[in-house]
Amino acid sequence: MAVEQFWDRAAETMPRDELERLQMARVRACVARLKASGTEFYRRRLADVSEDGLRSMEDLARLPFTTKSDLRENYPFGLFAVPSHEIVRIHASSGSTPRSWCCRTAVRSR
């Protein structure tokens, strides 16, 4: 019996141009979701980003990426993209700095 080599054959074998369209649609949806989340950090950070302007992989270079200092200054509570009542659990680690770091957040299913 042959072992299946793919977890999701359709997704893993789709043509490159189709894959890039899917990925960009997901990036646009993610940006829209973060902007609509009401989170001050993302509202400010993504203010100049238009989802409609994200059409190709080259456009990713225009996205503002989260830096280490962003994480230090805002983590974890300033980066929640869901209302706090939807958060079930926060796992944290003290790490190597005096400030604790949240490494995983569980969210209630909608």
Side-chain angles (χ1 to χ4, degrees), residues 24-36:
M24 291 311 300
R26 289 180 177 175
V27 167
R28 285 190 299 277
C30 182
V31 168
R33 188 173 57 252
L34 289 172
K35 288 173 80 171

Side-chain angles (χ1 to χ4, degrees), residues 7-67:
W7 179 71
D8 181 344
R9 181 177 289 279
E12 294 177 47
T13 61
M14 72 175 58
R16 178 53 116 189
D17 61 328
E18 192 176 329
L19 175 63
E20 287 185 11
R21 280 194 303 275
L22 174 63
Q23 289 171 330
M24 291 311 300
R26 289 180 177 175
V27 167
R28 285 190 299 277
C30 182
V31 168
R33 188 173 57 252
L34 289 172
K35 288 173 80 171
S37 72
T39 304
E40 179 69 18
F41 173 80
Y42 294 117
R43 187 186 62 72
R44 282 191 331 258
R45 182 57 57 97
L46 298 171
D48 297 331
V49 176
S50 166
E51 301 92 279
D52 295 333
L54 300 171
R55 293 282 165 212
S56 70
M57 292 295 168
E58 291 76 29
D59 295 331
L60 294 178
R62 295 193 337 252
L63 288 175
F65 287 94
T66 304
T67 65

Side-chain angles (χ1 to χ4, degrees), residues 75-76 80 82 86-91 102-107:
Y75 219 64
F80 289 164
V82 297
E86 291 185 27
I87 297 171
V88 177
R89 173 177 47 249
I90 299 172
H91 297 272
C102 171
C103 50
R104 182 162 185 236
T105 306
V107 178

